[in-house]
Amino acid sequence: MKKLPPRAIHLLAALIAGFIISAAVTKLTGFSIFGAAREKPLSAKEASNEKLTALAFETLEVIKAGDYRALSKIAHPEEGVVFSPCATVNPGTNKCFLPDMIAAFGKDKNAYVWGVAAAGGEPIEMTAPEYFSMFVFDRDYTAASVVGINRVVRSGNALENIREVFPDVLFVDFFYPGGERDPADEQDWSSLRLGYEEYGGALKLRVILRSDWN
């Protein structure tokens, strides 16, 4: 059998990856990335949701891989990304990083105060990789059981104010129900929300927020 050239292999891999992402989006949202496969054309809202959801899954994969350089390319070029360890976004205490700083997270040994703990109010002081491990990708959210598009799947005790702080944000809520790690603990649920804003005709990451029952 004749060996395929490297470029052909790359194109084939990209096509397969596209179908895999499309299948995941179709399962979660009820519509396909590939509009030609639909009997009816996408509405404006469906097209917007499709674009948002595909980008959110792409962002999750980048975070899962620990590829901060790739994440920096998704980040808002001018406003950067706000990191909130709870549902209540506080621009005064939450850290905001511009793309060049995000790209350097892997080698950044500095400890930053990212906010305060919901229980107790102690400052959350960590390096970027430590923060991502505990307050961003503490679970594999690519396998989240429920995904909310521009809606909060579940709220805890914290004030939900993502819309007030970011009036133009479009977000995806990746939700894990309680009891998955400990069947006796129904409060052991959490959500990772990725919020985007329009910039130059494209969606750019503006906020990464983790929510739980606190």
Side-chain angles (χ1 to χ4, degrees):
M1 183 176 179
K2 186 176 180 181
K3 187 176 180 181
L4 291 173
R7 179 173 176 78
I9 294 174
H10 292 159
L11 289 173
L12 180 59
L15 182 61
I16 293 172
F19 277 109
I20 292 173
I21 294 174
S22 177
V25 171
T26 301
K27 181 179 179 181
L28 292 165
T29 67
F31 47 83
S32 169
I33 289 176
F34 303 102
R38 293 172 54 90
E39 294 182 0
K40 297 180 180 180
L42 292 173
S43 68
K45 183 177 181 179
E46 285 176 330
S48 176
N49 286 348
E50 181 179 272
K51 180 180 178 181
L52 171 65
T53 307
L55 179 57
F57 272 102
E58 176 189 342
T59 306
L60 272 186
E61 291 293 348
V62 165
I63 292 172
K64 183 177 181 178
D67 191 343
Y68 298 115
R69 187 167 297 277
L71 184 63
S72 72
K73 295 178 181 179
I74 303 173
H76 196 292
E78 294 185 359
E79 301 296 335
V81 179
V82 172
F83 292 82
S84 179
C86 69
T88 305
V89 183
N90 189 333
T93 59
N94 296 153
K95 292 298 295 181
C96 180
F97 292 92
L98 293 172
D100 59 338
M101 299 182 72
I102 294 173
F105 273 170
K107 298 180 180 179
D108 189 350
K109 305 301 182 183
N110 294 309
Y112 300 97
V113 176
W114 302 78
V116 295
E122 298 87 0
I124 298 172
E125 187 172 358
M126 300 177 174
T127 64
E130 289 171 342
Y131 180 85
F132 270 72
S133 177
M134 185 170 291
F135 289 100
V136 178
F137 212 73
D138 59 311
R139 285 171 161 164
D140 186 357
Y141 289 98
T142 63
S145 59
V146 182
V147 177
I149 303 174
N150 289 317
R151 70 180 181 90
V152 173
V153 175
R154 182 171 178 179
S155 296
N157 294 324
L159 173 69
E160 299 281 1
N161 69 342
I162 187 171
R163 287 291 190 191
E164 286 71 27
V165 178
F166 303 101
D168 300 320
V169 76
L170 301 173
F171 68 89
V172 178
D173 186 325
F174 295 91
F175 174 78
Y176 258 100
E180 289 200 352
R181 290 189 286 204
D182 180 358
D185 187 3
E186 294 186 359
Q187 295 291 357
D188 185 31
W189 64 266
S190 62
S191 281
L192 181 67
R193 292 183 204 134
L194 304 177
Y196 304 83
E197 290 182 350
E198 288 275 355
Y199 178 84
L203 289 175
K204 290 297 181 179
L205 185 63
R206 188 70 182 89
V207 58
I208 296 179
L209 177 159
R210 183 187 174 281
S211 177
D212 58 24
W213 68 273
N214 286 310

